[in-house]
Structure formats: structure tokens, C-alpha cells
């Protein structure tokens, strides 16, 4: 089928299958960590701290990671990050198995995973172009990768809800450890033709400055990254408050919380399938604007929802909007960035996406403690709508100055 055309590439097919299992385990762990912290402390602020610890390394390290990956064999870097992630999962599983419920220890292990992911995510994204045989299949591969990740976002929390209710957090963490085995097997089965890198004559800090200069002087890319930064800081952290919605507003348990996560995942899969079916040449900017409007509106409606099924519908809509927003920006950057700058451009995407969410999570957690989760989500929806209006106004003002087309078509290498 056309929607799966990038799976014709053997290396991407291996990566897709192995990563699918691993990501389900990752989402099981994320759900279990959030539930464990809130169960032990009852603190929305600590929920924000956990999210902050897991994602703040992307804000600090992503540009360095992009420059580092541009100088090293991306495949070898990816193998190393997966091995270290597996060891982190084992450490967390042992911590909880022996009932050493130390919040500081959990936060430090979450911070370690965040440091690993600052390199791992950038590496995976930049390596994708080498996994796909036909370059025109790259946007489809990006969309399918997002579909896989968001399927894991459904299956992981759903399984975690069942496991948490029946066996406890330690089983979730143990299963996450074993979920790394398929991706390790897939990586070792790959036969990647990764370009041979010549030893760079300049320092990594010089290349860091070069990457920043490239991004900051490309108004097309920088406007998209600023839009993503605003959304990641002010809108996306609404997810941090979902344990409060499940437990305090709808009087639910761990299974109720997993429904919220899974609902957002269903919406993300719907959106990802739509993105995967797009043919080259589609206008990514229009898709971005439409998706951002859907995202903001769904949060406004979620803040007023008093009936659980309706709240889950709005969560599904939020997943549709958020997935299409980030996927459109990711696709545009990967298909328009200069090849020698691709990893660095992606690193700024990771910094704007994952790096700003932890700061927003802290703000959301603190505000929810003072004003309640519903009012916080309402403000996040308003902030998203304002960000869209500013982005559209900026694009219209500067559109005549740009030579680049506002389409998501693939440029020649």
C-alpha cells in the first residue's frame, strides 16, 4: 500500500519493527513513573519536576548533540544510546522491585534518560535519511515513524493501566527493560551505508556556532522553530496534568489515567496516518496552521469538560492537532535543511520540542497547584491560539522576502 511505501527499505523496516516494541515499553515506564510519583506524593509540582528532569537535557544538550552526531558515525552512536537506555531501565526496575521508593533516585534516573535521549532522538531522526533507500520516501518514513511512536503511546499506557492495577509498577519497569532486546537485534541486523566521515579540522564549538548561524539566518526554518518553541512551552505541557484530571476531577485510578494517555495516542495515530498518506508537494505550512488551531480548540473544550467520555474525545482531538503540528515541522526541516546541517537543524527541532516542554511542565504544575488543572488547561488553550495568530501574521508579513517555497516537497540532494 502507498501509505507503507517506505517499509520497502529493509533497514527502515527493521528499525520500524524493533523500535515499535521498545517504544511501547518506554511509554509503559513513563506512565508508571508518573503514577508512582503522584501516588507517593500527591503533588502536581513533583509531576512537573519529573517531566522537567526527563526533558530539560534536550534544551541544554541538543545543539551540542547535533554537532557531535554530525562528526561521528550515527549508527554507532545510536547503538550506544540504546545500550545505555537499557541499563537505565534495569536500574529503575531494580529500584522499585526492592521497594526503594526514593523520589530523588527516580528523578535522577529520569534525568539520566533525558541526557541519553538528547543524543538518541537527534541521532535517530538524522539517521532516517540513511535508512530509506528512495529519498522521496523520507516524508512517508517520518510519518510512519510518528505513527509507530503514537501507537506505542496508546498501547503503552493501556498496558500500563492493566499492569499497574493488577501487579504494580515494578512489572512495568521490568517489561520496559526487556523491550530493548528487539531494537538491539534490529540494529545489529541492519546494513547501513553510512557516509564515511572525514576528521573535522575545526572544533565542535565552531560547528555549534555555524549551526546556530544557519538556523538564525534562515527565516523560514527559524519561524517554524519559534512556533514549535511557543507550543512546547505553553501548550503541550497540558499532558503533565492528566493524573490530576484522572484522579481528582474524575475520581478515577491508574486505569483512568491510562485512558487519557491512550485517547491522545488514538488522535495522534489518526493524524499520523493522514500525514503518511500525503503525497510529496503538500503545503506543510497550511497543515501546521490547521493542526495548531485544532490543538488549541481541543484544550479549550477539555478545560470545560465535566463528563469523562467527552473529556476523552477532546483528548483525542488534542492528539490529532499536536501530532500533525510537530510532524509537519519535522518533515519540513528534514526535507529543506542542507544535508551537512541536517543533524544540527534537527537538534534545534528537538531543543524546541522536547527541551521546552520541561520548563512548561514546571510552570503548568505550579499554576495547577495554585489555580487548579482546569484553569491551567484553559490558559494553555488560549496561549496556543495566540501563538497561531502571531505565526500567521509573521508569515504574511515576511512571505515576500523568502525565496523558499512553503511546501513540504523534497528538494534535490
Amino acid at each position: 500500500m502507498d501509505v507503507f511505501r517506505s517499509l520497502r527499505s529493509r533497514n527502515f523496516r527493521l528499525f520500524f519493527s524493533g523500535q515499535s516494541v521498545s517504544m511501547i515499553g518506554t511509554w509503559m515506564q513513563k506512565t508508571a513513573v508518573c503514577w508512582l510519583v503522584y501516588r507517593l506524593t500527591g503533588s502536581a509540582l513533583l509531576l512537573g519536576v519529573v517531566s522537567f528532569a526527563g526533558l530539560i537535557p534536550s534544551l541544554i544538550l541538543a545543539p551540542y548533540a547535533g554537532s557531535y552526531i554530525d562528526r561521528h558515525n550515527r549508527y554507532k552512536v545510536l547503538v550506544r544510546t540504546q545500550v545505555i537506555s537499557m541499563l537505565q531501565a534495569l536500574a529503575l526496575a531494580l529500584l522499585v522491585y526492592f521497594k526503594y521508593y526514593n523520589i530523588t533516585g527516580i528523578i535522577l534516573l529520569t534525568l539520566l534518560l533525558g541526557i541519553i535521549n538528547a543524543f538518541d532522538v537527534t541521532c535517530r531522526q538524522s539517521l532516517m535519511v540513511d535508512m530509506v533507500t528512495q529519498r522521496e520516501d523520507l516524508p512517508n518514513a517520518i510519518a510512519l515513524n510518528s505513527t509507530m511512536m503514537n501507537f506505542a503511546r496508546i498501547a503503552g499506557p493501556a498496558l500500563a493501566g492493566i499492569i499497574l492495577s493488577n501487579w504494580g509498577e515494578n512489572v512495568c519497569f521490568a517489561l520496559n527493560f526487556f523491550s530493548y532486546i528487539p531494537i538491539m537485534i534490529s540494529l545489529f541486523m541492519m546494513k547501513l551505508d553510512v557516509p564515511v566521515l572525514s576528521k573535522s579540522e575545526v572544533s565542535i564549538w565552531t560547528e555549534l556556532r555555524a549551526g546556530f548561524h544557519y538556523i538564525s539566518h534562515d527565516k523560514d526554518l527559524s519561524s517554524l522553530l519559534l512556533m514549535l518553541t511557543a507550543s512546547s512551552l505553553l501548550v503541550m505541557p497540558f499532558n503533565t496534568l492528566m493524573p490530576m484530571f484522572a484522579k481528582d476531577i474524575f475520581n478515577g485510578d491508574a486505569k483512568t489515567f491510562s485512558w487519557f494517555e491512550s485517547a491522545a495516542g488514538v488522535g495522534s495515530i489518526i493524524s499520523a496516518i493522514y500525514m503518511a498518506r500525503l503525497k510529496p508537494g503538500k503545503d506543510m505550512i497550511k497543515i501546521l496552521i490547521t493542526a495548531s488551531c485544532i490543538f488549541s480548540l481541543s484544550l479549550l473544550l477539555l478545560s470545560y469538560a465535566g463528563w469523562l467520555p467527552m473529556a476523552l474525545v477532546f483528548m483525542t482531538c488534542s492528539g490529532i492537532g499536536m501530532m500533525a503540528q510537530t510532524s509537519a515541522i519535522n518533515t519540513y526541516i528534514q526535507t529543506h535543511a542542507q544535508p551537512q546541517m541536517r543533524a544540527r537543524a534537527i537538534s534545534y527541532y528537538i531543543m524546541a520540542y522536547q527541551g521546552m516542554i520541561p520548563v512548561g511542565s514546571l510552570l503548568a504544575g505550579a499554576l495547577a497547584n495554585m489555580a487548579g488543572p482546569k484553569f491551567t488547561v484553559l490558559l494553555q488553550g488560549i496561549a496556543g491560539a495566540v501563538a497561531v495568530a502571531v505565526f500567521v501574521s509573521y508569515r504574511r508579513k515576511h512571505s515576500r522576502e523568502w525565496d523558499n517555497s512553503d511546501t513540504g516537497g523534497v528538494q534535490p540532494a
Side-chain angles (χ1 to χ4, degrees):
M1 291 178 63
D2 191 57
V3 70
F4 298 114
R5 58 185 180 274
S6 58
L7 292 179
R8 293 176 297 191
S9 301
R10 177 181 180 274
N11 290 319
F12 180 69
R13 187 167 63 250
L14 284 169
F15 171 80
F16 183 87
S17 57
Q19 192 73 358
S20 297
V21 178
S22 178
M23 288 304 300
I24 290 174
T26 298
W27 273 101
M28 287 175 60
Q29 176 174 293
K30 286 182 179 180
T31 304
V33 166
C34 288
W35 185 256
L36 176 64
V37 170
Y38 194 62
R39 179 175 68 82
L40 294 176
T41 68
S43 171
L45 182 59
L46 278 176
L47 279 176
V49 170
V50 170
S51 296
F52 181 86
L55 295 174
I56 192 60
S58 295
L59 176 62
I60 300 172
L61 296 176
Y64 175 83
S67 297
Y68 178 88
I69 291 164
D70 273 337
R71 297 163 63 97
H72 294 81
N73 185 300
R74 298 170 186 176
Y75 171 77
K76 291 181 179 178
V77 173
L78 182 59
V79 171
R80 290 167 189 156
T81 59
Q82 291 296 309
V83 170
I84 300 172
S85 297
M86 189 176 186
L87 293 176
Q88 184 272 351
L90 176 62
L92 187 56
L94 292 174
L95 190 74
V96 178
Y97 177 77
F98 290 108
K99 301 188 183 301
Y100 186 64
Y101 293 136
N102 185 287
I103 299 300
T104 302
I106 293 172
I107 291 173
L108 288 176
L109 282 172
T110 303
L111 176 64
L112 173 61
L113 184 61
I115 294 172
I116 299 166
N117 283 340
F119 291 84
D120 179 76
V121 176
T122 303
C123 189
R124 277 189 282 120
Q125 294 284 347
S126 61
L127 191 62
M128 201 170 298
V129 69
D130 298 310
M131 295 182 190
V132 179
T133 306
Q134 301 297 323
R135 183 171 168 79
E136 61 269 19
D137 289 341
L138 179 59
N140 177 259
I142 295 170
L144 280 184
N145 187 56
S146 297
T147 305
M148 172 262 291
M149 294 179 69
N150 285 288
F151 173 77
R153 186 177 179 177
I154 296 174
L159 288 172
I162 297 171
I163 293 170
L164 287 170
S165 299
N166 293 280
W167 297 287
E169 296 92 351
N170 59 313
V171 176
C172 286
F173 298 141
L175 289 175
N176 179 47
F177 167 73
F178 288 112
S179 74
Y180 280 96
I181 295 175
I183 185 60
M184 296 304 301
I185 293 173
S186 297
L187 287 174
F188 288 126
M189 289 178 65
M190 285 183 184
K191 296 179 181 179
L192 280 175
D193 185 20
V194 180
V196 178
L197 301 173
S198 58
K199 186 175 178 60
S200 178
E201 299 297 328
V202 299
S203 71
I204 195 168
W205 304 108
T206 300
E207 292 190 349
L208 267 172
R209 289 195 296 271
F212 179 78
H213 182 271
Y214 171 67
I215 292 296
S216 61
H217 284 74
D218 189 317
K219 293 182 178 179
D220 215 11
L221 296 182
S222 60
S223 67
L224 292 172
L225 290 173
L226 287 172
M227 173 63 185
L228 182 59
T229 298
S231 183
S232 299
L233 177 65
L234 303 173
V235 190
M236 294 183 193
F238 84 99
N239 268 331
T240 304
L241 307 178
M242 289 308 103
M244 296 184 72
F245 269 70
K247 189 172 186 291
D248 300 336
I249 295 177
F250 293 103
N251 301 313
D253 53 16
K255 189 175 293 185
T256 311
F257 171 46
S258 73
W259 291 345
F260 275 89
E261 292 289 344
S262 296
V266 168
S268 297
I269 283 198
I270 293 171
S271 185
I273 291 174
Y274 168 77
M275 297 295 292
R277 293 179 65 88
L278 290 178
K279 295 180 179 179
K282 288 294 183 179
D283 192 332
M284 291 291 119
I285 304 303
K286 287 184 179 179
I287 292 174
L288 164 64
I289 293 170
T290 302
S292 300
C293 290
I294 293 172
F295 189 18
S296 301
L297 180 60
S298 66
L299 295 193
L300 292 172
L301 295 172
L302 176 63
S303 69
Y304 284 100
W307 184 41
L308 180 58
M310 189 59 66
L312 295 177
V313 168
F314 297 143
M315 277 297 293
T316 302
C317 293
S318 75
I320 291 173
M322 184 167 64
M323 164 60 210
Q325 180 191 70
T326 55
S327 182
I329 296 174
N330 187 7
T331 301
Y332 194 96
I333 291 174
Q334 291 219 40
T335 55
H336 286 75
Q338 295 176 6
Q340 68 273 22
M341 290 287 183
R342 182 175 291 113
R344 274 168 278 186
I346 292 171
S347 73
Y348 279 96
Y349 165 83
I350 300 300
M351 183 174 68
Y353 181 23
Q354 293 191 351
M356 296 308 297
I357 289 178
V359 180
S361 295
L362 279 182
L363 294 175
L367 183 58
N369 260 351
M370 294 185 296
K374 282 198 167 189
F375 181 73
T376 302
V377 171
L378 173 65
L379 289 184
Q380 289 171 319
I382 293 172
V386 171
V388 175
V390 172
F391 176 76
V392 171
S393 176
Y394 180 85
R395 297 284 304 189
R396 287 178 177 173
K397 181 179 178 181
H398 294 279
S399 59
R400 293 183 181 180
E401 302 174 12
W402 299 340
D403 296 325
N404 292 337
S405 170
D406 285 344
T407 65
V410 179
Q411 293 181 342

